[in-house]
Amino acid sequence: MKKIIIYSVSLLLALTAATSCNDWLDVDLKTKVKSDDLLTTEAGFKDALVGVYISMISEQLYGRELTFGFFEAITGNYDVQMSNTQYYDITQGNISTTAIRSRIDAMWLGLYKTVANINNILDNIDDKRPVFTGDNYEIIKGEALALRAFLHLAVFRIFGDARDLSLPAVPYVTTLGTTIFPALTGKDVLQAVMDDLDAALLLLKSDPIYKNRSKVNTADAFLHNRQMRMNYYAAMAVYAEAAMWAGDKTKALKYATDVIAVCDELFPWVDRGTVSTSVETARDRTFSTEHIFCLNVFNLRALYNTWHSPTTAYLQNVLYKGSWNFETWYQSMRDTDIRFTYLSQFSNTIWGYHSLKFMQPDGYRPEYAARIPLIRRSMMYYIAAECSGNIETATNYLNQVRRNRGIAADLSGLTETSFATELQREYIKEFWCEGQLFFYMKRRNETANPLDRWLPFQLRDRYVIAMPEAEIDYGL
């Protein structure tokens, strides 16, 4: 069994505290201090936790590759020009080239470096409990545990084999130091994820989003906009997904429906008027009210201009989908489905559709700006549908999402086969540019994307992505 050595991180990012409740993550990344100095005060622990989120928004992680980048390209959700040196090979299934391997290795390294920063917090926080005020000890420790679970689930989803959970998968790293962490079986990784989440949920009962049923705290920037942090309900949502990967549909259904029960109050369906408004700066393109967990990606405008806008100097980079396939995704509902009508645009320049989801116009409303969703309300409905055990109940969950996307005609009379087709179609439409379809298909071991007739390889052959050959050295 291959063993991965996780070395100590001697430095952590020390991050300036927020001066605005909407841009609290927009901080100076250049400031670094030794962790011994950082983790002695409540402010130091807060800064260290902010550093974790900063690490997560890097382009090798959720700022690009794990959302609109690598995993959208490999699924067949983009058609790109041959001149697109970043993604053309990936769309052709060629992921073993030196250039692509280096990017895959960067995902592995980035995820485990972020875990190392989390473990540094967890290794120190209990001894420093007296420095915390209010509920901040419970909130910070709970967030850290849930983030560790979330990131290990991400590593497993990428590098593990979902077809046989008895096989060695990936290490589950629980402390900072020179400890050798062997690859656990998939079953044990997923159990460790759920164990961390169990501990996190007990602590996060102090989270204002659970305790006060509120996402906002304008008096305390650290506790404001809880959907932009790993909150109580985000941890429950991660639990639902982990249980799905573990094959425990009963538990997955319980956690998904527990989240659904508070959605109308905390994560309401997006209002169609805020999506369809003609005022570009007031259009809620990511359905922000539905975010259970999102990240503040403060360079999102530059990312959009580089990868999604066909009017920029980066035309060869544009990630788009050809007209025939894209329109096939939406069938006859193109005129009413707000995901088609307002979140995509046809361009003669590329002769296809590009996404408007992450467009950041000048003067964009701050409550919508710079956000990439990682968990949305709709995901809980899709998990509940898949786990319900009753085709009518499952269909009802799908119909609730469809109605809130502008589709008036409900699905009915579905068989198990036709339900699976409709669920996959929903994943494609709902999570375009968010990287979710690949993992849905991997978990279910689907052969290929049936809505892309030109995918030049069997996607099933790419589900298990090889981990880096070299052992990982995290010394800075």
Side-chain angles (χ1 to χ4, degrees):
M1 181 183 295
K2 181 175 176 63
K3 293 183 178 180
I4 309 300
I5 300 176
I6 309 299
Y7 285 94
S8 173
V9 176
S10 61
L11 299 175
L12 284 175
L13 294 176
L15 300 156
T16 306
T19 57
S20 164
C21 59
N22 287 313
D23 63 357
W24 67 278
L25 282 179
D26 190 3
V27 295
D28 184 2
L29 291 175
K30 297 179 181 179
T31 305
K32 292 185 177 182
V33 298
K34 290 183 179 180
S35 61
D36 286 348
D37 296 330
L38 182 68
L39 299 178
T40 57
T41 65
E42 180 177 86
F45 278 94
K46 289 179 178 179
D47 288 346
L49 186 60
V50 171
V52 170
Y53 291 100
I54 292 292
S55 180
M56 290 174 68
I57 67 172
S58 65
E59 288 193 49
Q60 67 263 36
L61 299 182
Y62 296 97
R64 176 159 55 113
E65 298 293 22
L66 303 190
T67 50
F68 67 81
F70 184 96
F71 293 101
E72 285 293 289
I74 198 172
T75 312
N77 278 351
Y78 297 137
D79 300 317
V80 301
Q81 299 180 24
M82 292 182 68
S83 57
N84 187 323
T85 58
Q86 292 283 304
Y87 290 105
Y88 181 75
D89 276 345
I90 298 172
T91 64
Q92 304 303 299
N94 302 325
I95 61 173
S96 59
T97 66
T98 300
I100 302 302
R101 272 305 323 177
S102 68
R103 288 161 62 191
I104 294 170
D105 292 355
M107 296 179 208
W108 170 280
L109 178 62
L111 287 165
Y112 276 118
K113 284 187 69 175
T114 309
V115 167
N117 285 344
I118 292 169
N119 283 333
N120 200 40
I121 294 171
L122 292 170
D123 287 349
N124 286 277
I125 195 167
D126 288 343
D127 288 343
K128 299 297 191 299
R129 185 167 185 171
V131 307
F132 291 92
T133 59
D135 293 324
N136 285 334
Y137 165 82
E138 289 81 4
I139 292 169
I140 291 172
K141 185 175 180 180
E143 273 190 56
L145 284 166
L147 285 167
R148 185 168 74 183
F150 177 82
L151 293 170
H152 277 102
L153 180 59
V155 176
F156 173 76
R157 294 198 314 168
I158 297 168
F159 298 100
D161 191 338
R163 296 166 296 190
D164 187 348
L165 297 181
S166 68
L167 294 175
V170 298
Y172 201 97
V173 184
T174 56
T175 190
L176 184 67
T178 57
T179 304
I180 296 175
F181 289 87
L184 302 181
T185 66
K187 179 180 178 181
D188 287 342
V189 170
L190 293 169
Q191 185 59 57
V193 166
M194 291 185 281
D195 288 346
D196 266 350
L197 290 169
D198 280 330
L201 286 168
L202 287 174
L203 291 161
L204 288 173
K205 287 186 176 180
S206 297
D207 188 342
I209 203 170
Y210 175 83
K211 192 175 181 180
N212 305 323
R213 287 292 195 274
S214 176
K215 295 183 290 188
V216 297
N217 186 333
T218 55
D220 186 342
F222 187 73
L223 297 177
H224 192 48
N225 285 342
R226 287 300 296 163
Q227 77 277 19
M228 301 183 77
R229 299 261 293 279
M230 177 56 73
N231 59 75
Y232 179 87
Y233 294 106
M236 291 187 74
V238 177
Y239 207 124
E241 185 174 6
M244 284 287 287
W245 284 86
D248 190 341
K249 290 189 174 183
T250 300
K251 191 171 284 187
L253 179 62
K254 175 193 181 303
Y255 280 91
T257 53
D258 283 352
V259 176
I260 288 171
V262 301
C263 278
D264 284 346
E265 180 181 5
L266 290 172
F267 312 107
W269 295 112
V270 69
D271 182 87
R272 185 183 179 93
T274 65
V275 180
S276 63
T277 176
S278 59
V279 182
E280 286 289 334
T281 57
R283 184 171 290 178
D284 187 356
R285 294 175 178 83
T286 65
F287 305 165
S288 65
T289 59
E290 301 177 18
H291 295 176
I292 297 172
F293 177 37
C294 67
L295 292 177
N296 182 353
V297 183
F298 47 82
N299 63 333
L300 189 54
R301 180 173 181 173
L303 292 170
Y304 175 82
N305 289 339
T306 301
W307 299 106
H308 298 287
S309 173
T311 60
T312 70
Y314 305 102
L315 182 60
Q316 74 277 5
N317 291 342
V318 175
L319 303 169
Y320 69 96
K321 192 64 184 171
S323 300
W324 188 91
N325 269 316
F326 191 79
E327 292 173 2
T328 299
W329 295 353
Y330 291 88
Q331 300 173 298
S332 60
M333 282 76 74
R334 295 197 299 272
D335 291 339
T336 61
D337 194 321
I338 59 176
R339 295 168 295 192
F340 179 90
T341 307
Y342 300 108
L343 302 187
S344 64
Q345 186 175 69
F346 178 79
S347 170
N348 286 320
T349 305
I350 54 178
W351 205 252
Y353 288 85
H354 64 100
S355 176
L356 301 176
K357 185 175 287 186
F358 301 129
M359 183 180 178
Q360 307 286 298
D362 290 336
Y364 200 23
R365 290 182 62 167
E367 62 266 38
Y368 305 149
R371 300 188 181 194
I372 288 184
L374 301 190
I375 306 172
R376 293 202 278 122
R377 176 176 181 168
S378 53
M379 177 64 79
M380 296 300 98
Y381 285 74
Y382 297 153
I383 289 176
E386 198 173 345
C387 296
S388 66
N390 177 285
I391 195 67
E392 292 183 0
T393 303
T395 302
N396 181 53
Y397 280 120
L398 287 193
N399 283 334
Q400 289 184 66
V401 180
R402 286 161 55 92
R403 290 171 201 149
N404 283 283
R405 300 298 179 248
I407 302 173
D410 280 350
L411 298 168
S412 62
L414 297 180
T415 65
E416 292 292 334
T417 300
S418 59
F419 167 78
T421 298
E422 293 298 338
L423 179 58
Q424 183 166 313
R425 189 185 301 276
E426 280 301 307
Y427 266 83
I428 292 172
K429 294 184 295 183
E430 184 74 2
F431 301 121
W432 192 40
C433 300
E434 294 179 37
Q436 296 288 358
L437 179 65
F438 175 87
F439 299 109
Y440 165 80
M441 295 176 68
K442 174 176 178 173
R443 177 172 53 78
R444 294 171 59 93
N445 198 31
E446 301 283 358
T447 303
N449 184 344
L451 299 181
D452 189 335
R453 62 178 181 177
W454 292 305
L455 194 66
F457 60 95
Q458 289 293 315
L459 189 58
R460 182 182 286 174
D461 297 334
R462 304 293 186 275
Y463 283 150
V464 180
I465 295 175
M467 64 180 66
E469 285 296 319
E471 291 181 330
I472 306 304
D473 184 346
Y474 288 113
L476 296 182

